[in-house]
Amino acid sequence: MSLGIQIKNKFKNIVKIFFIFLVIFFSNKLVLCNTVIGALNKVSGKISKLTIEDHGEIFFGSLKIIANTCKKAPPEEPPENYAFLEIWEVTDDAKDKTNKKIFSGWMFSSSPSISALEHAVYDIWIIDCNV
């Protein structure tokens, strides 16, 4: 009889550990979300709205934009979206194919001038984070 009770107790402990794992997993927001950015080509005047998945990349003109993470402020706080972006300038000359990192850091939707991309042709800013 005592062996059956020990097995039930071990099963209950495994279920508890699994439940705790699920709570930690979802409380840390490990669910992937999308970063919505705005991009302006200053030469043509074209504004584009681009969506990038977390840890994904997208090309805009000669730029490669990588969105590592995107966070959104809770509803009870002032509205704010912030994303960690890496932006590379890709040159595809016949002689050499080089990539130059021109931006790496956090961008904020409420004040894009705090941490902005400084480029002669393109402007990039964050608009929203979608789950």
Side-chain angles (χ1 to χ4, degrees):
M1 237 355 178
S2 102
L3 183 60
I5 293 173
Q6 288 176 354
I7 292 173
K8 284 182 183 179
N9 287 339
K10 285 185 181 181
F11 181 73
K12 286 181 184 178
N13 289 338
I14 290 172
V15 170
K16 287 179 187 177
I17 291 171
F18 181 72
F19 180 72
I20 291 171
F21 171 76
L22 287 177
V23 168
I24 292 171
F25 182 79
F26 287 109
S27 69
N28 284 335
K29 297 182 181 179
L30 294 175
V31 179
L32 296 178
C33 67
N34 294 328
T35 305
V36 181
I37 62 170
L40 167 68
N41 184 331
K42 296 177 189 177
V43 175
S44 67
K46 182 180 177 184
I47 297 174
S48 301
K49 193 174 185 180
L50 309 170
T51 302
I52 311 168
E53 292 183 1
D54 270 359
H55 305 291
E57 65 183 40
I58 194 167
F59 287 88
F60 180 74
S62 65
L63 300 181
K64 178 172 80 169
I65 305 164
I66 302 170
N68 289 320
T69 188
C70 191
K71 303 281 184 180
K72 183 177 257 189
E76 63 271 5
E77 293 181 10
E80 179 69 272
N81 300 299
Y82 45 99
F84 188 81
L85 301 177
E86 291 181 31
I87 302 174
W88 298 78
E89 186 165 27
V90 179
T91 57
D92 194 19
D93 295 335
K95 294 179 181 178
D96 63 36
K97 296 181 180 181
T98 60
N99 295 341
K100 179 182 173 188
K101 186 185 281 190
I102 57 174
F103 181 85
S104 179
W106 291 94
M107 279 193 183
F108 302 92
S109 63
S110 64
S111 51
S113 62
I114 288 178
S115 179
L117 170 70
E118 295 179 11
H119 194 272
V121 180
Y122 303 106
D123 277 345
I124 304 291
W125 65 94
I126 180 173
I127 296 173
D128 195 10
C129 296
N130 296 330
V131 177

